[in-house]
Amino acid sequence: MSEPTFGFVSAETLPLFTDLYELRMMQAYANRDHNPRATFSLFVRDLPPNRGYMVAAGLEQAIHYVESLSFEDRALEYLAEQGFDDAFLERLAAFEFTGEIRGVPEGTPVFANEPLLEVTAPILQAQLLETALINQIGYQSLIATKASRMRDVIDRDGDGQRLIDFGSRRAHGTDAGMKAARAAYIGGFDGTSNVAAGEAFGIPVSGTMAHSWVQSFERERDAFEAFVAEYGDESVLLIDTYETVGGARIAREVADAADVDLRGVRLDSGDLPALSKAVDEVVPGVDQFISSGIDEYAIRAFFDRGGVGAGFGPGTALVTSADAPKVEGVYKLVAVERDGEMQPTMKLSAGKVTYPGSKTVRRTESDGQYAGDIVGLRDESLPGSEQLVPVIEDGKRVSELPDLDRIRDTATAKRRMLPVEHRRIDDPDPYPVQIGEKLRQETDRLRRTLE
Amino acid sequence: MSEPTFGFVSAETLPLFTDLYELRMMQAYANRDHNPRATFSLFVRDLPPNRGYMVAAGLEQAIHYVESLSFEDRALEYLAEQGFDDAFLERLAAFEFTGEIRGVPEGTPVFANEPLLEVTAPILQAQLLETALINQIGYQSLIATKASRMRDVIDRDGDGQRLIDFGSRRAHGTDAGMKAARAAYIGGFDGTSNVAAGEAFGIPVSGTMAHSWVQSFERERDAFEAFVAEYGDESVLLIDTYETVGGARIAREVADAADVDLRGVRLDSGDLPALSKAVDEVVPGVDQFISSGIDEYAIRAFFDRGGVGAGFGPGTALVTSADAPKVEGVYKLVAVERDGEMQPTMKLSAGKVTYPGSKTVRRTESDGQYAGDIVGLRDESLPGSEQLVPVIEDGKRVSELPDLDRIRDTATAKRRMLPVEHRRIDDPDPYPVQIGEKLRQETDRLRRTLE
């Protein structure tokens, strides 16, 4: 409580990043000697508005979280203060994940009701993970999706424009700033302005200048001259501090006088498509970098109106996924051991379907495009390629996690395999996800026994 | 790059949580020998939709950030790889904030164009802070505001219902999960389900049970019996796993048989107001705790429809501020030293007003209610109480930061001083914020010189 808190969670407090009820249930599982093996599925019930797909992301952080879980003194002392009993705290002190995790590889398109992750372990262990796993996977998937939509608009209507994440300042906390940079890169961005994210994830970092640079000099011209003297051909000049087209003229004069080829100019306000055309006449051939209010809709409108730009810097709308800021990831018990066998289970809460049992997700292709998915019981024999890959078995990693550039390449390739009608940024056609015959029968059977 | 990243920023990488352009400008300020004293104002240009006020929050974390800034080897090595030069890196190695910070105390209502924070320091120092300060203040203020709106609806239409933050799993990353708990507490919540936030901030933690507890037993009755055997009078039973009113009946039977007074039941799905009334007939007098889709609008609707509840557990809508997920905090250069004097400065970017100069924010009262604010130049003589309090001078803390409970009390008292028409959760009347005469004249004068 006394140390400065930047809001981040340290290794020491990581196992406490969970809801109290998880720990209360765990204590009761332990004390009632009720610790059956259980399978939990992490999935979203509905895609966010205007999303025809989501891009799975965050598996690496989720796995690191599970592998790093360890209850040290600081956490145990706090839990003792909260009234947890000694026997349970001793059990926590020895906590180690010994179960199985299967996950959809990062960069893969996913759809409603498809598990992104399945955890099978003694319920006491699996229960603890709920809060942090949803947090890790949900946010990064939300942002990878948002980024993928922008890249897709450029693939279709643009000319390979660069996309740089400018959002750290407006992200919901520092962790979101970091993860948005990573997830945006997965979704097809080229870099980030966030230096810490560059360092942490090996993402290219990129940056120009702020209005404060220009204002700190008596004249815009002085500011440009000083910057060009420092950075030469690397200079990207922000030209909208006072008046954009005039700023472009001064930029050209300064560059000419210094015999420098500007790397670019940046526009950050006003009617961006119109201004970019006017600026292009003043500094033809100089790259224009467009920021302020950028998202997939703004990029499409920019192209529609004939805007001239070599790159975009989305910020707030990217990192908050502003048009759809929430994705309701859930982590539901779908199977539990009874009489020595894993039995599918489901709840009936009004208006919410949870398909029972551990799952398989199969994806079929036709002419190099995805043709549809089938979600079935794990042992159900179905066509198509399995999307859920074993990552941890008996508590040990059984597959390498790919590096970020490979994830990004995968995401690009897989996005392009998704038929274009499911990629529309508004009103996309729903992608066909069927329920396997065995899963459907099991769901009906269970519903009858429960009603 | 190689260590597990939970997305958080460590003390070692904290100074890199900034945009690359800040560091590029800093290097150029250093190398061009252009390091004038500068004042930056942090404010929002517009309140988010349906907000008549915001609640300032995050100052404590912002100040801790500034006080902790130190460039160590890991950060310096990364910056060397990015091409920063040795002289500049040496300067960073010696970096220490020596300037002044004034801030609006946490828990205070604030309005558009009012500085929440002002930083005055050599521009090289002040520039670095932009990204992290906006991030720290923006998100917590957004969530404290959202929480305050829920508490305000209960103050008006309810009966002192408890509010517990249930949102960690759906927050944008772990840091947001932590800070949402803190900010919600400031805004008037009673606790959080996030155990790490409880530990970090001393917030009361609270939790019941999940559907998985119920499903892990063969029958709902078995699940309730086991929980009641463990927790006795402390038990809060989740009754909607199969059918809510039936669940309430079983809860009553189990409690009666065990001779236990249930602490409560929880409802998490369906038509909550209607179900709560039906449940109240089955377990009269037992506290009902209501979750699923809760925000200020849902709480108002719950009361309007006669729902019976002793507490609410807002989650996703709280921590993402779902109806208004972004607040565009900016950090603008408003004054810069020229010829030995601080000179007001402003930019003219289309459609965006930035008032020049270091400011005073004065708040006037009438009959114990806030009557209006005046934003003026710092040396302008104006009526009302100053909202910007000196926190750091010459790099040293000059005032204690209040503890969280005091901040929360302050927030409650100040919220109630805001006339009710500015607190409406939709379409609130705008609170009157005037611009002081001297500031207005200075703005006009500068605009003329720049146009």
Side-chain angles (χ1 to χ4, degrees), chain A residues 289-336:
Chain A
F289 204 77
I290 312 295
S291 53
S292 185
I294 302 298
D295 62 11
E296 61 273 43
Y297 308 104
I299 293 172
R300 183 176 61 185
F302 186 85
F303 291 141
D304 283 352
R305 294 190 47 212
V308 180
F312 298 99
T316 316
L318 167 69
V319 302
T320 63
S321 188
D323 71 317
K326 57 182 183 173
V327 55
E328 312 228 20
V330 295
Y331 179 86
K332 289 294 170 190
L333 181 67
V334 292
V336 64

Side-chain angles (χ1 to χ4, degrees), chain B residues 21-22 28 71 77 98-99 141 164 167-168 186 226 239 265 301 328 341 354 357 438:
Chain B
Y21 76 175
E22 318 284 9
F71 286 83
E77 279 161 24
T98 62
S141 299
I164 308 293
S168 297
I186 290 174
I239 57 175
V265 294
E328 312 229 20
E341 269 189 49
T354 304
K438 245 179 111 173

